[in-house]
């Protein structure tokens, strides 16, 4: 899954794709680099980010979704807003990705249920302006899996089909570096829920901590590719990344390694 942030304040690319034409071109480039899905977001969820008005979010994402979908690209909409999700579906989005797991907008479950589309349910404890203070766990892997299970059960009770659900541990959301590493090391706890698992570690702060303080954001793409291939090897359904080319090569290398068993 390649990430296209149509925002002025993303932590990962600093507004590089705010222009609609630039966002479309970047999405097509990612597909050429090997992305299976392009995830379009019009609201930053970096720590401390302010919410975006629905009208502004729609203006950012709908033209990009329409253009990519018309080119045969499988598009995911990254939004916490039910109205944006509804408009994105009309524009051609094939997957709904909500970092709040439907908690930020209580209408989201209804939109998801009526659409029948896959729904990515992330672990979430609160909006960006409060999430740092919420990073308290007994055991991050076990606690996150339990909270995701409860969220999935609530969505199913609201009419979302179990087969629609993909789960995401929400790395970096109300989690510090140790929490993120614990969740990744024990990914089987999330896999045990019985739903496909998406891992989105790309360029996040805990990977930056492995690098020199003055390293550019792009330097995080190598550890991202390593985490992505380890997640895939552990059984993840998908990985969400900013640099598709490096992760695609890493995943192809894993596939070649695994194919050696059949030679």
């Amino acid at each position: 899954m390649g990430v296209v942030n149509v925002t002025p304040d993303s932590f990962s690319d600093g507004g590089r794709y705010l222009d609609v034409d630039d966002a479309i071109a970047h999405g097509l480039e990612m597909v050429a680099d090997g992305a299976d899905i392009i995830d379009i977001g019009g609201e930053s969820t970096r720590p401390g980010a302010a919410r975006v008005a629905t009208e502004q979010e729609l203006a950012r994402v709908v033209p990009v979704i329409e253009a990519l979908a018309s080119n045969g690209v499988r598009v995911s909409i990254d939004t916490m807003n039910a109205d944006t999700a509804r408009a994105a579906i009309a524009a051609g989005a094939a997957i709904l990705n909500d970092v709040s797991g439907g908690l930020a907008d209580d209408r989201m479950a209804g939109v998801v249920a009526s659409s029948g589309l896959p729904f990515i349910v992330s672990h979430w404890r609160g909006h960006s302006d409060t999430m740092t203070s919420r990073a308290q766990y007994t055991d991050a892997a076990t606690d996150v899996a339990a909270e995701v299970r409860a969220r999935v059960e609530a969505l199913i009770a609201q009419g979302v089909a179990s087969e629609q659900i993909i789960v995401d541990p929400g790395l970096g959301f109300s989690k510090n570096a140790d929490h993120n590493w614990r969740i990744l090391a024990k990914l089987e706890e999330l896999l045990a829920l019985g739903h496909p698992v998406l891992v989105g570690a790309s360029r996040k702060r805990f990977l930056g901590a492995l690098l020199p303080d003055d390293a550019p954001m792009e330097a995080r793409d190598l550890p991202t590719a390593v985490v992505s291939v380890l997640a895939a090897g552990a059984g993840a359904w998908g990985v969400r990344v900013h640099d598709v080319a490096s992760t695609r090569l890493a995943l192809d290398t894993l596939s070649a390694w695994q194919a050696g068993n059949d030679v």
Side-chain angles (χ1 to χ4, degrees):
M1 177 182 281
V3 181
V4 177
N5 295 307
V6 195
T7 59
D9 55 348
S10 168
F11 82 93
S12 61
D13 50 39
R16 189 179 304 174
Y17 308 110
L18 179 60
D19 178 81
V20 167
D21 289 338
D22 290 341
I24 294 167
H26 187 51
L28 292 173
E29 179 184 14
M30 285 182 155
V31 171
D33 284 341
D36 301 298
I37 302 163
I38 300 298
D39 193 42
I40 308 295
E43 178 178 11
S44 175
T45 52
R46 63 177 174 78
R51 297 303 310 277
V52 171
T54 302
E55 296 77 13
Q56 188 173 38
E57 187 182 18
L58 288 171
R60 291 173 177 176
V61 302
V62 168
V64 181
I65 295 169
E66 288 176 339
L68 293 177
S70 69
N71 277 278
V73 177
R74 192 180 187 198
V75 175
S76 169
I77 175 63
D78 177 1
T79 185
M80 294 183 282
N81 187 309
D83 291 332
T84 301
R86 191 177 291 109
I89 294 166
I95 298 175
L96 308 176
N97 180 14
D98 182 350
V99 299
S100 80
L103 286 169
D105 187 334
D106 59 12
R107 302 170 300 157
M108 185 65 82
V111 173
V112 173
S114 62
S115 74
L117 295 177
F119 183 46
I120 299 169
V121 179
S122 291
H123 176 263
W124 190 79
R125 286 183 168 182
H127 287 289
S128 296
D129 58 345
T130 64
M131 64 182 181
T132 300
S133 64
R134 300 173 186 267
Q136 305 290 331
Y137 300 91
T138 300
D139 181 299
T142 301
D143 294 352
V144 165
E147 290 175 31
V148 170
R149 180 186 295 107
R151 186 67 201 132
V152 166
E153 290 172 352
L155 288 165
I156 291 172
Q158 291 176 280
V160 178
S162 177
E163 57 267 24
Q164 288 180 257
I165 294 173
I166 298 163
V167 297
D168 182 333
L171 299 175
F173 290 87
S174 300
K175 300 166 189 74
N176 62 31
D178 288 343
H179 298 145
N180 293 328
W181 289 121
R182 177 65 176 173
I183 291 163
L184 288 169
K186 301 287 289 181
L187 199 61
E188 66 270 14
E189 298 213 18
L190 206 59
L191 289 162
L193 299 182
H195 298 278
V197 173
L198 176 69
V199 172
S202 187
R203 294 185 178 177
K204 292 193 173 179
R205 186 180 303 172
F206 77 106
L207 298 182
L210 301 172
L211 301 165
D213 291 342
D214 60 351
M217 184 61 69
E218 290 77 11
R220 300 181 185 185
D221 291 333
L222 176 55
T224 294
V226 174
V227 168
S228 296
V229 80
L230 289 171
W237 163 84
V239 290
R240 182 179 182 275
V241 301
H242 297 86
D243 176 33
V244 168
S246 62
T247 292
R248 180 75 269 169
L249 180 57
L251 294 173
D252 288 346
T253 303
L254 172 64
S255 294
W257 179 298
Q258 292 172 332
N261 290 321
D262 301 323
V263 174

